[in-house]
Structure formats: C-alpha cells, structure tokens
Amino acid sequence: MPAAPDLVPDRLEIAGETLDVLRPRDPEALLDEEAFAHEEYLPYWAELWPSAPVLARRLAERDDLRGLRILELGCGLALPSLFAARRGADVVATDWAPDALELLAANAARNAVTVRARRLDWFADAPEPDGPWPLVIAADVLYEARNAAPLLRALERTVAPGGEAWVADPGRRPAEGFWALAREAWHVDAPPRRDGERSTVHVLRRRD
C-alpha cells in the first residue's frame, strides 16, 4: 500500500472567496499496484483538475445558493463543494476513494465550512444519499469512456424532477459517449467556453 500522501497547501481565489485547500504533492506517488490490478484504481481524486474552479465560478453566479441542496459526484478535492458551502449551500460530496473523503473532511474544517462526505460508487449502483437533489454537480469525471453509462445512471437516480445536473468537462474524447447517451433522455445545454477557461459547464435537464 502507498504511504499517506505528502500534502501541500493551495490558496485559491474564486469569485471573491478564498479557499485554503490541502492536496497531495505528487498524485503519482499514491499509485497502488494491487488496487490497480483489482479495480483499475488510479488516484484521479488527488489532482486539482481544470474543471473544478470553472464549476465553482458558475455556482457563484447563482443567487439561490444559500440553503440549496447540492450533491457532488466524484468530488475528488471537492473544490466546487467547498465553495458552495462557503456560500451557504447544503452540500453532500461523494467519491468512491476513502482517501478523498478523508482529505475533504480536513479541508472543510480548514475552511470552516460544513460539507457532508459520503462514499458512493457509481459502478456498484449504490443508492444515492439523501436524494433526490435539485442540483447535482460533477467536474472532470469523464476521463475514461467506461464512466459514461454509470455516471448517467447516477444522474438518473440523484437528480430530482425539475432539477438540474451541471457537468464540467474540458472536452476529453472519452466524454463523447456520455453526451451521446445523455441527449437521449436529457436536454443538454453547452454554452460556449468562456475566455481563459479550459472547461465547459454543461447543464442537463430531463426531457418531458
């Protein structure tokens, strides 16, 4: 098993909020050959991916964040969840990696916010925590083609009627299969990428 991660601090400014986030210095040092052989486990959770701050900035544009119930899927370092909690949202952040959830608890305390951390494995079709949810968010979770169908099933289980899913992605090729599947049951709004941003936040709403 790999050693406990060597953590370094990041100070991030997002829409007027300052977040102090600990993250692993070297995500590759967390590779576990035994876990990879068993479940093809890679420590994606340990990276600060480009879609996370983009999604947090979109959340900042909502005027109803205070008290809004939000579920984050595949949270990793959970930057959008931490930001939403700072703005008063009621947030549950989920990941299937226990190390991600342990670090999330530390980062929530570090930023004096409340984010409930839950383990959720899309591939196991586990029941959603405390759902359904008016807003479900995910950032940089479509890095492998095999994630498409499980993510779609997770959204079907977690998004409340009349609710939305916001999925941020930088345009990775493995995501193409997800968008094709999603458009069969969801309206997908993908506004143009904004200047200086590396990702697009897609808004999904159920078809009638």
Side-chain angles (χ1 to χ4, degrees):
M1 296 291 290
D6 175 21
L7 301 176
V8 294
D10 257 339
R11 188 176 179 87
L12 304 167
E13 301 287 341
I14 299 176
E17 304 286 354
T18 300
L19 294 175
D20 292 307
V21 178
L22 294 173
R23 60 173 178 80
R25 183 188 303 274
D26 180 11
E28 291 188 4
L30 304 179
L31 286 170
D32 182 340
E33 292 182 5
E34 181 180 347
F36 180 80
H38 178 57
E39 294 181 315
E40 296 187 22
Y41 171 78
L42 290 169
Y44 292 118
W45 68 268
E47 298 275 2
L48 183 57
W49 296 101
S51 294
V54 173
L55 181 53
R57 285 193 289 272
R58 289 301 171 279
L59 289 169
E61 296 173 4
R62 292 191 63 138
D63 58 9
D64 63 344
L65 274 185
R66 183 161 297 278
L68 180 64
R69 298 177 66 248
I70 298 176
L71 175 70
E72 183 170 6
L73 298 174
C75 67
L77 296 176
L79 183 64
S81 286
L82 293 168
F83 177 85
R86 172 67 60 80
R87 288 290 178 93
D90 177 10
V91 185
V92 170
T94 67
D95 204 290
W96 79 281
D99 288 345
L101 302 179
E102 183 176 341
L103 184 56
L104 169 57
N107 278 327
R110 187 179 180 87
N111 288 278
V113 299
T114 298
V115 177
R116 287 171 287 159
R118 303 282 180 81
R119 189 172 189 274
L120 183 64
D121 182 356
W122 314 337
F123 288 85
D125 286 330
E128 72 280 2
D130 305 327
W133 296 77
L135 180 59
V136 177
I137 62 174
D140 276 309
V141 295
L142 294 166
Y143 39 77
E144 293 184 9
R146 65 177 182 147
N147 289 5
L151 176 59
L152 192 58
R153 289 195 299 269
L155 295 180
E156 289 168 350
R157 296 196 309 272
T158 56
V159 178
E164 296 179 348
W166 291 11
V167 180
D169 185 79
R172 292 189 179 89
R173 186 175 297 277
E176 294 174 1
F178 173 80
W179 302 122
L181 283 174
R183 288 187 173 92
E184 295 177 5
W186 301 77
H187 295 286
V188 180
D189 180 19
R193 190 174 300 176
R194 298 184 183 181
D195 290 345
E197 293 186 342
R198 297 169 59 189
S199 297
T200 299
V201 178
H202 301 73
V203 178
L204 287 73
R205 303 179 183 89
R206 295 182 192 275
R207 294 186 180 275
D208 296 333

